[in-house]
Amino acid sequence: MFLPSAKTALVLVYLVIIAGALVRMTGSGMGCPDWPKCFGYYIPPTEEKELLYTVGKEYSKGQVIIKDETLLVAKDHFVASANFESSHWEKYTKHNYAIFNPFHTWVEYLNRLVGALAGIACLIALFFSFSFWKEKKQLVFFNLLICFLMGFQAWLGKTVVDSVLNPYKITTHMLAALVIVAVQLYVIYAVKEKQKTKLFDAEFKLVLLVTLGLTILQIIFGTQVRESVDTIVEAGLPKEVWIQNPKGGFYTHRSFSILVFCANAFLFWRNRKLQLGFTKMNWVLVLLSLEILSGIAMYYFNFPFGTQTIHIVIASILFGLQFYLVLENFKKIN
């Protein structure tokens, strides 16, 4: 039961990455201005009137209203009287963002919901991992690490909201997700009983490790570009000028993609030439090509709808495939 539960957890973590990318694409990051609840509710409101002070409504401690463009939090349990009584309320102090957009709220809420499901799946995988206690104790500890990282990731999500989408914290949030993916792939690989026969080639292994490092660097460069674009977007400038004077290492990111592609093309060629048996290299090249195409679309066609999400999701899947290839290479057969 461990392997199915671990694979389910991995799929859900990738769904969290996809949901996070959708949140960024739709600008829904502040759809829920508090954490872990959403406007003080476990199930968020659908209409703005639910967040306005309502006479006769029963409020619970922690519930949120918007009054005079300010978030107010209920201090206790009470029934709203005809006259607004400020003694029952306190100002939300984490930030001063007080805008309700039902679409943004539910996109962000679904992101959090998927994250919660992924966390539960990781806990279930941890439970089943104890069946390997006698033969592979390290498996239990790695699953404990995954659960810890999921908790850390949730905390990072809180800091992102509290900072009103600080770009650096968003980047850390993304990189932490990739670390979780890597550890999950390791525990899945560690318990797979049947591995297809692979040949060992020292040069392929070395270039593969270097290529994985290049991919990680490219993702970091990409997050820096995204941070600079976010700053321009926040200024309210139209899409047409987002990349007119690119900063944040844009040209480094664009030029570096050539090196990444060449390194992977070499691995693809060597795998085919020596018949090493690493079939995932085919998918790596396909995904890398799609990644470059989505980048071209953003630059030359003013960020068409969905391209940013596609770019982020493909990068995370590409990282996962390359990391798994590294794992396969360390199970060498001479």
Side-chain angles (χ1 to χ4, degrees):
M1 287 298 294
F2 170 74
L3 199 54
S5 64
K7 288 181 177 180
T8 300
L10 177 63
V11 170
L12 285 171
V13 168
Y14 265 113
L15 285 178
V16 173
I17 293 173
I18 293 171
L22 287 172
V23 167
R24 288 187 59 77
M25 180 184 72
T26 57
S28 303
M30 292 302 293
C32 294
D34 50 337
W35 191 97
K37 294 182 180 181
C38 188
F39 287 102
Y41 295 89
Y42 287 108
I43 299 177
T46 56
E47 298 179 283
E48 187 175 11
K49 65 181 182 180
E50 298 177 59
L51 295 172
L52 301 179
Y53 183 80
T54 305
V55 176
K57 182 175 179 178
E58 188 174 343
Y59 287 99
S60 299
K61 183 178 180 180
Q63 285 186 338
V64 177
I65 64 169
I66 298 176
K67 183 174 175 58
D68 300 326
E69 299 183 350
T70 302
L71 289 180
L72 297 179
V73 184
K75 295 165 64 176
D76 50 25
H77 183 89
F78 65 95
V79 177
S81 61
N83 297 317
F84 179 81
E85 298 180 19
S86 58
S87 60
H88 289 299
W89 302 93
E90 60 184 358
K91 186 177 179 180
Y92 190 76
T93 57
K94 299 292 184 181
H95 54 74
N96 58 1
Y97 187 93
I99 298 173
F100 174 71
N101 179 312
F103 176 74
H104 290 171
T105 293
W106 278 86
V107 170
E108 169 61 16
Y109 175 72
L110 291 174
N111 175 41
R112 296 185 185 186
L113 186 61
V114 175
L117 291 174
I120 293 171
C122 290
L123 286 172
I124 293 173
L126 171 63
F127 173 78
F128 285 119
S129 72
F130 280 93
S131 61
F132 293 91
W133 181 254
K134 291 184 178 180
E135 51 185 306
K136 293 180 179 179
K137 287 185 175 65
Q138 71 274 18
L139 199 65
V140 176
F141 293 115
F142 275 110
N143 278 276
L144 277 170
L145 176 61
I146 289 172
C147 291
F148 169 79
L149 289 172
M150 289 296 291
F152 176 69
Q153 182 75 326
W155 176 80
L156 280 176
K158 177 184 183 302
T159 64
V160 167
V161 173
D162 289 346
S163 67
V164 193
L165 311 182
N166 179 280
Y168 295 103
K169 292 185 178 182
I170 292 174
T171 295
T172 305
H173 198 45
M174 172 66 181
L175 294 177
L178 296 183
V179 173
I180 294 171
V181 166
V183 181
Q184 284 185 317
L185 286 171
Y186 173 80
V187 299
I188 289 171
Y189 182 82
V191 299
K192 289 186 70 173
E193 296 180 358
K194 295 181 180 180
Q195 298 287 345
K196 291 183 179 180
T197 300
K198 308 288 193 308
L199 298 178
F200 175 70
D201 178 63
E203 187 173 353
F204 182 89
K205 178 180 176 181
L206 177 61
V207 176
L208 180 60
L209 285 169
V210 172
T211 303
L212 178 62
L214 293 176
T215 297
I216 295 170
L217 282 175
Q218 181 70 330
I219 291 174
I220 293 173
F221 291 148
T223 58
Q224 291 176 342
V225 173
R226 187 182 64 197
E227 287 165 7
S228 65
V229 171
D230 285 349
T231 302
I232 297 171
V233 173
E234 288 175 5
L237 298 175
K239 286 184 177 181
E240 291 76 11
V241 303
W242 287 4
I243 303 292
Q244 280 187 3
N245 296 296
K247 297 179 181 179
F250 169 78
Y251 291 114
T252 302
H253 181 60
R254 186 178 67 176
S255 302
F256 206 71
S257 64
I258 300 172
L259 179 60
V260 174
F261 183 84
C262 290
N264 281 283
F266 171 81
L267 291 172
F268 175 81
W269 168 79
R270 193 162 185 84
N271 180 55
R272 292 287 295 271
K273 178 184 178 182
L274 302 181
Q275 297 182 345
L276 300 177
F278 296 102
T279 57
K280 292 180 180 63
M281 273 309 309
N282 301 334
W283 284 106
V284 166
L285 215 59
V286 170
L287 288 173
L288 191 56
S289 299
L290 292 174
E291 180 78 339
I292 292 173
L293 287 174
S294 64
I296 291 172
M298 285 190 287
Y299 181 73
Y300 289 103
F301 300 101
N302 299 325
F303 290 78
F305 184 78
T307 49
Q308 285 179 287
T309 298
I310 291 171
H311 203 64
I312 294 170
V313 172
I314 291 178
S316 62
I317 296 174
L318 181 63
F319 166 82
L321 275 175
Q322 288 180 322
F323 184 80
Y324 201 83
L325 278 166
V326 169
L327 294 175
E328 287 184 327
N329 245 266
F330 277 86
K331 189 177 181 67
K332 57 186 180 183
I333 299 175
N334 294 304

